[in-house]
Amino acid sequence: MSAPMATNETLPARAALDQEWRKVVNHGLLLALVLVFVSLANMPVSLDSRMIIEPMLSMGYLSLLWIPVVMGFIVSSEKVLEGIAYHAKGAREVLAGGLVGLIGGLGLSLLVVLIDNFDLRDPLVNWSPALLDLLQFGNGIGFGVIIWPVLGFGLGVFGGALHIFTAMTRTIVGWVLGAVLGIAVFETVIIDLLTERLPFEFITDWFYFIRGGLSQQGAVTAALIGGGLGYLRVLAQRGVVPTPVQDYKQLVGPERTRANTIIIITCGVATAILPLLLGRITNELLANVGLFVLLALGLNIVVGLAGILDLGYVAFFAVGGYATAILTSPNRGDSWPDWVPQSHWFAALIVVILLAILTGLFIGAPVIRMRGDYLAIVTLGFGEIIRLLFLSDWLGGYTGGAQGVTNIPGVDLGFVEIKGTDPRAIFYLVAVFCAIAIYVSWRLEKSRLGRAWMAIREDESVAEAMGINTVNVKLMAFVVGAVLASFSGAIFAAKVGSIFPTSFIILVSIVILVVVIVGGMGNIVGVIAGAAVLIGVLGGPKQPGLLAEFSEFKLLIYGALLIFMMLKRPEGLVPNVRRTRELHQEEFLQDAWLRSQVDADEQDGAPSGEVAPA
Amino acid sequence: MTAAVRSKAAPRTGVDWFLTFMRVGLSFFFISGVIMFVLQQIDPQNPIAQVFNPDATGLTADQFEGLIISGLSQGAMYGLIALGYSMVYGVLGFINFAHGEVFMVGAMTGMITSNKLEEAGLWEDAFFVSLVFIILVAIVCSTATAVIMERVAYRPLRGSPRLIPLITSIGVSFLIQNISIVLLGPGAKAYPSLPDWLSQKRTVLFLEVEGTKLMVILVAAISMAGLWYLVERTKTGRAMRAVAEDKEIASLMGIDVNRTIVTTFAVGGAMAGVAGILWGILFRSVIHTTGFLPGIKAFSAAVVGGIGNLGGAMAGGLTLGSAESLAPLMVLEPWGINGVSQLRDAVAFLVLIFVLLVRPTGLFGERLSAEDRA
């Protein structure tokens, strides 16, 4: 065993050892629980058809195998505060990881034995022979019982060993795994991009197996590419190779503006060209992502900038969708008087905007003075009321009730008609509106109104004392968010051609909230990235994503992701600088205090690195 | 914070006028609906009653009685769930959005246990023993869910900005629902049928009550009495009240604040577990979304009764349950709205919005902890 942990020096040796053991056992039991849960959730079986590396690794096995690695890593990682030395890692950490993996594997062995001997299929629907067969790797029961502890130990050792690797090795290992997984997951998009219009079949033939999944030579190539990129990254960190991102961050003034312009133009051109190269399915995917980007940008203004948790956001989406449908479809409810015309999509859009503003004011005004938590539930109530009204017989003559509104025409631009059946055209339409939304969000964030929103988010009373009319400013956030959501609703109506109340359940609000939070509250790039990753890869509430096999589990993952982000990284993947500071105020203060202590000690001549934890 | 207080100091803005308009409009809507209903009951041919709804027939005494009883039995369940919201709010000052899911866990475990008991032939033969057994199992599971929830998701977030635990609790709610889907399957699951002697009608005083609903109300009343005893008469209850009043001072007085918070979650979870069983017995069907609407309605009940006020939570539950059961026929139908039973849930939300607009502290006053008063 290597040197004892810094924090344990004050403890008697026996107690320290007990503590370590308890940590290992706790993590091991947690791992066992997670593995059994994942198995009983049927993830291994239903994801087994999706191959990552043919014929060695399927996504089903991967759903089990990654967990021991992570747990083996976590068990010996520790929080290092500013000013405390990071203690050296050694064989002890590797062993701890291995033991954790061993306990987890024993949990799965137990499950194998239990499935073999008892039938609990009544409450647990996935307690099936298929699961047993998969857990035994198709061999006998004895193999299944023995293989999991061995596998768990091995993976746990790998997880623990990540601590003793040098930073360089760790980076490269990460990149290799990321590249293999990424190239496997984005299979549909890559094949579509390279073969639909471009003549690069030889690349995809090299990488992919015919029936899906990476071929073995493809996996090796992907690993090499990943390793190469990882090595470049290491060199960049050491300053050997120039890093564009670092250079960009150091730019100031007009140079930065110029760089921004170049980036924006590149992105715009890419957005314009990309759909031409892609096929139907991928364009459909992009159009769905675009719709959610639009929704998420709107919610980002409400939640991210103004700090109002609006859970009934889907109401505005519904208003936009229904208003467009009713104004453009010949097949709307029969109770409408004749003077409500059947109009063009753009004419309907004007009405949609007006209605969205009205709805925003109507829902916003009663809730604007409520406490944050009341506001959340009351807006949720409004969202539900609006859906129930659209569904009810009472308004059925206008909204079609459960049958909804069908036969919604596309958007006639004069020279071309954008129909829902042409995902490429729909994507261009969505992209235009996203561009508008991005511009509006960006300008608003820098405006007086945007600063007022952020002031309210930080402290409403102080903002009011500074002379901000909090009521009007918050209402503005509601209205702007409502209009953006109604755009999305209008495009959605034209895209799907028929809308029903079931498209506007509360789930949609929550999925948009997850997108905004995972991406990064208050950050436009973050929100777009969040929508692309979550909606594009996992899929929306009803829309399938790249991993169509995940559709049973995506909501489970969304829920877990929401909790995880709130606990570990509330600022999101692409954080907004100011929001991060607000959310981690205490840590910033603590760090500052510790730093001042270290400085003081250094002046006293004491060696740094031995400051007691706060 | 209410508009009524604020308007004395500041000039009335457009929003204030709009709110006043909404208050007056909603009150008018409710009151005149009820007046029309009463007139209709007196004489179905009354011209005022026929203004909006010419072919209304009114309700018979039996129908009315039935609506009130079912309203009260549902209200009793809402009240039990609302206690959990109210207690957690009193202690931590945040709304545990996932509390409805604790209730769903209770209903689900009840479904599993009672079906197993029925397979063993115990359900019909020894109904009361089985009932007590499934209630105990549900209490254990719901309490465990609530305690784990607190430990994993909420304790690390104590002291973070208000929005953060709220969003986390939405995530927890979402996660538990989906865990139920992946483990138990997405379809609705049935409770075994109840023995005949229980579900038949019987006369209590002058009312004819279905045995099941009577039992629901009785069990809810017993649980409520137990809770009242715990909170008002025991040392644990005193600790809970002290922590709700002021966490720091309470800890200075030697109260283990963390433990008290866990106890609060556990007690709230136990109440939700009981409510889950009652739900299962009353409706005999449970699905992963079972917790969502009753949860939101129970929250509304807690607000209607004054959040943080335990008696208020129960009273709010009964009020909301009856309102939800009666208002569609008493208020909406006289206005000529058809298909009113579809709008039951909308009524519950409307009551919540109305109460928050007119009397944000709830009908029976709010017991605020120190942090909120500041």
Side-chain angles (χ1 to χ4, degrees):
Chain A
M1 298 268 162
S2 65
M5 278 170 61
T7 42
N8 285 346
E9 271 171 342
T10 49
L11 292 170
R14 178 75 194 279
L17 198 65
D18 278 355
Q19 203 185 17
E20 300 281 282
W21 274 111
R22 204 175 301 141
K23 204 170 158 190
V24 167
V25 171
N26 282 347
H27 277 78
L29 291 178
L30 185 63
L31 172 64
L33 206 67
V34 174
L35 287 177
V36 170
F37 170 72
V38 169
S39 307
L40 287 179
N42 215 22
M43 262 192 215
V45 176
S46 37
L47 301 182
D48 198 34
S49 56
R50 172 97 186 202
M51 297 309 288
I52 297 204
I53 303 170
E54 177 77 29
M56 294 186 314
L57 182 66
S58 76
M59 199 143 249
Y61 282 110
L62 186 72
S63 70
L64 286 174
L65 297 180
W66 68 277
I67 310 171
V69 179
V70 171
M71 214 49 121
F73 181 77
I74 290 176
V75 70
S76 26
S77 58
E78 52 188 318
K79 234 183 198 164
V80 176
L81 292 172
E82 196 100 18
I84 297 175
Y86 198 82
H87 97 274
K89 306 277 184 180
R92 227 167 56 125
E93 277 68 33
V94 180
L95 185 69
L99 286 177
V100 166
L102 182 72
I103 300 176
L106 284 173
L108 271 187
S109 302
L110 186 67
L111 182 71
V112 169
V113 174
L114 286 178
I115 297 182
D116 198 40
N117 290 308
F118 298 95
D119 180 21
L120 283 183
R121 209 160 182 182
D122 183 12
L124 299 168
V125 285
N126 301 317
W127 188 275
S128 62
L131 178 63
L132 181 63
D133 191 49
L134 186 125
L135 288 179
Q136 294 168 355
F137 292 85
N139 297 322
I141 174 90
F143 185 75
V145 172
I146 294 168
I147 188 72
W148 281 109
V150 176
L151 259 182
F153 185 78
L155 292 167
V157 163
F158 176 63
L162 286 176
H163 283 295
I164 54 171
F165 291 168
T166 56
M168 178 174 136
T169 326
R170 243 194 327 252
T171 315
I172 292 179
V173 168
W175 275 83
V176 166
L177 294 178
V180 173
L181 204 62
I183 293 181
V185 166
F186 285 96
E187 186 183 334
T188 330
V189 177
I190 294 175
I191 291 185
D192 210 24
L193 180 66
L194 293 181
T195 60
E196 178 75 19
R197 293 288 163 91
L198 300 173
F200 291 124
E201 262 106 359
F202 64 94
I203 299 183
T204 54
D205 286 349
W206 174 262
F207 271 109
Y208 297 110
F209 192 71
I210 308 162
R211 276 174 287 123
L214 289 172
S215 61
Q216 290 177 16
Q217 79 257 24
V220 173
T221 322
L224 287 177
I225 295 175
L229 288 174
Y231 189 64
L232 268 182
R233 169 88 194 133
V234 173
L235 290 184
Q237 274 168 349
R238 292 183 185 163
V240 183
V241 190
T243 49
V245 178
Q246 286 299 327
D247 290 350
Y248 169 75
K249 277 183 182 161
Q250 280 160 4
L251 290 180
V252 278
E255 279 178 23
R256 177 140 191 172
T257 319
R258 205 177 310 138
N260 278 338
T261 322
I262 294 171
I263 292 174
I264 290 168
I265 291 174
T266 321
C267 286
V269 171
T271 317
I273 294 176
L274 201 61
L276 295 175
L277 303 175
L278 294 171
R280 240 189 109 70
I281 300 174
T282 320
N283 268 319
E284 173 84 25
L285 204 72
L286 281 179
N288 281 336
V289 170
L291 281 178
F292 274 87
V293 167
L294 205 48
L295 283 168
L297 281 170
L299 191 66
N300 179 44
I301 289 179
V302 185
V303 176
L305 291 186
I308 308 168
L309 185 59
D310 178 2
L311 292 183
Y313 191 65
V314 68
F316 306 125
F317 184 51
V319 165
Y322 263 97
T324 315
I326 286 166
L327 287 173
T328 58
S329 165
N331 208 4
R332 62 187 181 204
D334 343 305
S335 305
W336 290 101
D338 288 337
W339 55 262
V340 177
Q342 189 199 326
S343 55
H344 190 269
W345 190 83
F346 281 105
L349 192 65
I350 296 169
V351 182
V352 165
I353 294 174
L354 291 176
L355 271 178
I357 292 173
L358 278 180
T359 324
L361 289 174
F362 187 82
I363 296 184
V367 302
I368 218 76
R369 292 224 176 99
M370 291 175 187
R371 289 198 292 253
D373 26 23
Y374 280 17
L375 188 145
I377 294 197
V378 172
T379 47
L380 185 126
F382 269 121
E384 214 32 27
I385 287 180
I386 286 192
R387 186 182 69 86
L388 288 169
L389 286 181
F390 283 143
L391 182 64
S392 70
D393 287 348
W394 177 41
L395 294 181
Y398 299 94
T399 59
Q403 277 79 43
V405 184
T406 49
N407 278 351
I408 305 165
V411 183
D412 192 359
L413 289 180
F415 58 99
V416 61
E417 194 191 348
I418 299 176
K419 284 201 212 106
T421 46
D422 179 8
R424 186 175 295 146
I426 290 285
F427 173 72
Y428 280 124
L429 185 67
V430 178
V432 169
F433 278 91
C434 282
I436 296 173
I438 291 167
Y439 182 74
V440 168
S441 306
W442 176 61
R443 295 297 298 170
L444 275 176
E445 200 183 327
K446 306 269 180 275
S447 72
R448 189 187 171 87
L449 186 62
R451 289 197 304 273
W453 283 336
M454 283 182 264
I456 288 178
R457 179 183 72 196
E458 282 171 48
D459 193 322
E460 196 168 337
S461 315
V462 175
E464 196 164 9
M466 291 290 120
I468 294 171
N469 183 341
T470 53
V471 170
N472 288 1
V473 167
K474 279 165 100 177
L475 267 181
M476 272 309 286
F478 252 90
V479 168
V480 175
V483 170
L484 292 183
S486 71
F487 283 160
S488 189
I491 301 171
F492 177 73
K495 175 173 178 285
V496 296
S498 50
I499 53 172
F500 311 100
T502 46
S503 307
F504 304 107
I505 44 178
I506 289 299
L507 190 68
V508 181
S509 296
I510 299 194
V511 168
I512 306 168
L513 182 68
V514 179
V515 166
V516 171
I517 283 168
V518 170
M521 278 188 276
N523 186 314
I524 298 170
V525 180
V527 168
I528 297 171
V533 170
L534 292 181
I535 308 296
V537 176
L538 287 175
K542 296 219 159 142
Q543 299 80 359
L546 270 181
L547 295 174
E549 292 85 355
F550 263 90
S551 57
E552 285 172 67
F553 309 109
K554 64 188 169 199
L555 297 177
L556 183 78
I557 298 173
Y558 282 169
L561 212 53
L562 192 57
I563 302 173
F564 178 79
M565 294 302 286
M566 281 292 112
L567 288 175
K568 297 291 175 201
R569 210 178 148 89
E571 66 273 19
L573 290 177
V574 188
N576 173 320
V577 179
R578 190 180 313 206
R579 190 87 180 109
T580 314
R581 252 180 250 147
E582 282 163 42
L583 289 167
H584 295 281
Q585 195 174 22
E586 279 180 18
E587 288 153 48
F588 274 97
L589 291 175
Q590 201 173 25
D591 281 356
W593 178 80
L594 275 167
R595 224 173 286 139
S596 69
Q597 295 295 304
V598 174
D599 290 347
D601 283 351
E602 272 169 359
Q603 278 168 10
D604 292 348
S608 66
E610 284 185 14
V611 180
Chain B
M1 281 298 281
T2 67
V5 175
R6 184 192 291 260
S7 58
K8 277 171 201 155
R12 294 180 74 85
T13 61
V15 173
D16 289 320
W17 286 114
F18 180 74
L19 289 183
T20 313
F21 170 74
M22 272 191 97
R23 280 184 205 113
V24 174
L26 275 175
S27 313
F28 175 74
F29 182 76
F30 280 124
I31 293 170
S32 45
V34 172
I35 290 176
M36 282 192 282
F37 175 77
V38 171
L39 290 174
Q40 191 181 59
Q41 288 305 102
I42 298 169
D43 172 18
Q45 301 305 319
N46 188 310
I48 301 178
Q50 288 189 335
V51 176
F52 296 101
N53 195 0
D55 38 50
T57 48
L59 293 172
T60 62
D62 277 355
Q63 284 174 324
F64 198 70
E65 211 180 284
L67 284 177
I68 289 190
I69 296 293
S70 62
L72 286 182
S73 57
Q74 277 202 47
M77 275 183 315
Y78 293 157
L80 281 182
I81 311 171
L83 289 170
Y85 280 106
S86 231
M87 286 165 57
V88 168
Y89 188 88
V91 170
L92 283 182
F94 100 102
I95 292 166
N96 178 12
F97 208 85
H99 190 63
E101 265 38 75
V102 177
F103 157 79
M104 187 269 285
V105 168
M108 278 288 176
T109 44
M111 184 274 297
I112 294 169
T113 333
S114 59
N115 276 319
K116 289 286 169 205
L117 285 173
E118 204 207 10
E119 271 172 36
L122 289 170
W123 179 250
E124 297 259 343
D125 296 344
F127 179 72
F128 268 110
V129 181
S130 313
L131 183 71
V132 171
F133 180 70
I134 64 168
I135 289 185
L136 287 181
V137 174
I139 286 180
V140 169
C141 290
S142 293
T143 307
T145 314
V147 170
I148 293 172
M149 199 190 273
E150 194 273 337
R151 184 68 194 82
V152 175
Y154 303 145
R155 192 179 297 181
L157 292 174
R158 228 174 273 159
S160 50
R162 258 193 127 128
L163 224 51
I164 304 291
L166 189 64
I167 297 176
T168 313
S169 68
I170 294 168
V172 172
S173 156
F174 210 53
L175 183 71
I176 295 180
Q177 277 186 26
N178 283 291
I179 287 180
S180 161
I181 295 180
V182 294
L183 288 187
L184 305 174
K189 293 151 205 74
Y191 267 64
S193 53
L194 301 171
D196 288 335
W197 56 266
L198 182 72
S199 40
Q200 68 190 213
K201 289 201 170 186
R202 54 194 67 211
T203 317
V204 180
L205 299 175
F206 53 93
L207 289 170
E208 280 228 332
V209 189
E210 247 175 81
T212 342
K213 287 176 182 165
L214 187 67
M215 194 183 76
V216 166
I217 296 175
L218 276 179
V219 173
I222 294 170
S223 321
M224 180 67 201
L227 182 77
W228 178 84
Y229 181 81
L230 178 81
V231 173
E232 297 291 330
R233 287 282 181 275
T234 62
K235 216 170 168 181
T236 325
R238 211 183 312 154
M240 276 157 68
R241 280 179 288 145
V243 172
E245 200 63 40
D246 192 322
K247 278 202 247 342
E248 274 178 34
I249 305 285
S251 73
L252 290 179
M253 296 294 128
I255 294 170
D256 185 341
V257 173
N258 267 338
R259 222 178 104 188
T260 311
I261 290 174
V262 171
T263 318
T264 312
F265 269 88
V267 174
M271 291 289 142
V274 175
I277 294 293
L278 297 182
W279 173 277
I281 294 212
L282 206 53
F283 298 104
R284 298 215 12 247
S285 158
V286 52
I287 189 170
H288 59 272
T289 49
T290 293
F292 178 71
L293 272 183
I296 304 289
K297 286 180 191 163
F299 167 75
S300 310
V303 173
V304 168
I307 201 156
N309 175 343
L310 295 191
M314 205 64 203
L318 293 176
T319 315
L320 196 83
S322 332
E324 188 189 65
S325 161
L326 290 173
L329 291 163
M330 276 180 67
V331 179
L332 298 186
E333 193 141 287
W335 278 100
I337 295 170
N338 51 17
V340 284
S341 56
Q342 293 169 327
L343 296 175
R344 276 175 60 116
D345 299 336
V347 167
F349 290 125
L350 213 59
V351 170
L352 171 67
I353 292 165
F354 183 66
V355 168
L356 281 177
L357 277 178
V358 176
R359 202 179 145 81
T361 49
L363 298 179
F364 304 96
E366 190 168 356
R367 186 139 114 204
L368 289 175
S369 60
E371 286 111 279
D372 287 311
R373 256 183 255 120

